[in-house]
């Protein structure tokens, strides 16, 4: 009704908007009626054994009940022939209003279009009809345009591709993050262990060799100092020791 009031203000081409809206009501009622007829009327096409294993979760009924409740006209207004909603004051909507004959009869005409769409769907696709039998025995279309429409413009495939790609990317990044954290942890722990090993090597080997060299030099210095001592008895003793060593080398080696 707001679109009709808006079109009356602009005139001419603006009436295309409410016209399209009315045609949309007819088409929507038709394909929803067709969906209901093909899904719930006629013989069941579900395997008997498969149907026994179907277990609907009761939690999914909650949003369905809420959506269905909102679709009843009572949730909009107690008067089914008005364009005003009981929630207009709450949401503060500024709806265009018109008292013309077209505007006042639009609601009833919309209801008639909806009923006509549902009746047309039932008449064409009722169980045993030609259209119903053709639908049940017809495979996917062969043309490109038919396949695009048949697959819903591939929107579910796009959603699935985006979802699976995002999940795969997130899983890969999580795996890389864990490996990087493990590598950093290994490098940190390895650095600490390597530093402690170097400290032990420095203390026992490097410092030990230096201290041993200093000790040997000190001992050698003490020995040579005694050899050059001014006391004659020590010089004689060292001379005898050297003589014995030289003689032993000649005799035994």
């Amino acid at each position: 009704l707001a679109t009709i009031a808006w079109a009356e203000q602009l005139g001419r081409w603006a009436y295309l908007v409410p016209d399209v809206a009315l045609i949309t009501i007819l088409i929507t009622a038709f394909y929803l009626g067709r969906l209901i007829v093909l899904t719930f009327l006629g013989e069941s096409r579900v395997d008997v054994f498969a149907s026994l294993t179907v277990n609907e979760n009761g939690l999914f009924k909650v949003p369905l009940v809420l959506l269905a409740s909102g679709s009843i006209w009572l949730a909009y207004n107690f008067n089914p022939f008005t364009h005003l909603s009981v929630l207009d004051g709450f949401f503060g909507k500024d709806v265009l209003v018109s008292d013309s004959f077209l505007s006042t009869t639009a609601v009833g005409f919309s209801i008639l279009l909806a009923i006509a769409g549902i009746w047309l769907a039932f008449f064409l696709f009722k169980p045993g009809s030609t259209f119903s039998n053709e639908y049940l025995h017809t495979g996917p279309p062969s043309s490109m345009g038919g396949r695009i429409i048949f697959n819903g413009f591939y929107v579910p495939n796009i959603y699935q591709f985006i979802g699976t790609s995002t999940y795969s990317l997130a899983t890969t990044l999580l795996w890389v993050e864990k490996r990087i954290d493990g590598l950093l942890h290994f490098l940190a722990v390895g650095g600490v262990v390597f530093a402690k090993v170097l400290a032990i090597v420095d203390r026992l080997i490097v410092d030990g060799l230096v201290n041993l060299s200093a000790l040997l030099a000190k001992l050698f210095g003490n020995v040579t100092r005694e050899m050059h001592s001014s006391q004659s008895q020590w010089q004689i003793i060292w001379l005898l020791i050297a003589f014995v060593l030289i003689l032993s080398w000649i005799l035994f080696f």
Side-chain angles (χ1 to χ4, degrees):
L1 296 181
T3 58
I4 294 177
W6 172 79
E8 289 177 348
Q9 292 180 359
L10 298 180
R12 296 182 180 178
W13 61 268
Y15 282 99
L16 290 175
V17 176
D19 291 341
V20 171
L22 293 174
I23 295 173
T24 303
I25 293 174
L26 177 65
I27 296 175
T28 303
F30 175 76
Y31 81 74
L32 286 179
R34 173 177 174 271
L35 175 65
I36 295 173
V37 170
L38 294 176
T39 303
F40 298 103
L41 301 183
E43 297 182 0
S44 175
R45 297 185 297 274
V46 180
D47 184 73
V48 178
F49 297 100
S51 62
L52 296 177
T53 60
V54 175
N55 184 16
E56 184 178 357
N57 191 342
L59 184 63
F60 290 102
K61 296 180 180 179
V62 177
L64 294 177
V65 171
L66 294 177
L67 292 173
S69 301
S71 64
I72 302 175
W73 87 87
L74 293 176
Y76 186 81
N77 197 305
F78 292 104
N79 182 6
F81 297 99
T82 183
H83 62 278
L84 297 176
S85 172
V86 294
L87 301 177
D88 287 345
F90 178 77
F91 290 108
K93 293 194 306 178
D94 186 12
V95 181
L96 295 175
V97 180
S98 175
D99 295 329
S100 64
F101 175 78
L102 180 62
S103 180
T104 55
T105 58
V107 175
F109 188 59
S110 300
I111 295 175
L112 291 177
L113 287 176
I115 295 175
I118 296 174
W119 177 84
L120 183 62
F122 177 79
F123 178 77
L124 295 177
F125 292 94
K126 62 184 177 180
S129 65
T130 304
F131 288 97
S132 178
N133 293 331
E134 289 181 355
Y135 173 80
L136 296 177
H137 299 90
T138 301
S142 57
S143 62
M144 179 180 296
R147 289 197 302 269
I148 293 176
I149 298 176
F150 180 79
N151 291 281
F153 295 91
Y154 294 98
V155 173
N157 303 80
I158 296 174
Y159 285 163
Q160 183 177 7
F161 173 76
I162 295 175
T164 54
S165 300
T166 304
Y167 177 76
S168 300
L169 179 61
T171 304
T172 303
L173 292 178
L174 180 62
W175 182 85
V176 172
E177 181 185 7
K178 289 183 178 181
R179 296 303 178 272
I180 293 176
D181 291 343
L183 178 61
L184 294 177
H185 181 72
F186 172 77
L187 292 177
V189 175
V192 173
V193 174
F194 185 68
K196 291 184 178 296
V197 172
L198 288 180
I200 295 173
V201 172
D202 180 69
R203 184 174 63 255
L204 297 180
I205 298 178
V206 179
D207 293 345
L209 290 176
V210 172
N211 294 332
L212 179 62
S213 300
L215 180 61
L216 292 177
K218 182 179 179 180
L219 292 176
F220 184 74
N222 292 333
V223 171
T224 53
R225 184 183 63 186
E226 294 297 336
M227 291 179 61
H228 293 82
S229 176
S230 58
Q231 298 179 6
S232 57
Q233 60 271 24
W234 279 105
Q235 294 180 358
I236 294 172
I237 291 173
W238 287 115
L239 182 61
L240 291 174
I241 292 173
F243 176 76
V244 171
L245 292 175
I246 294 172
L247 183 61
S248 299
W249 176 266
I250 295 171
L251 293 176
F252 299 104
F253 299 100

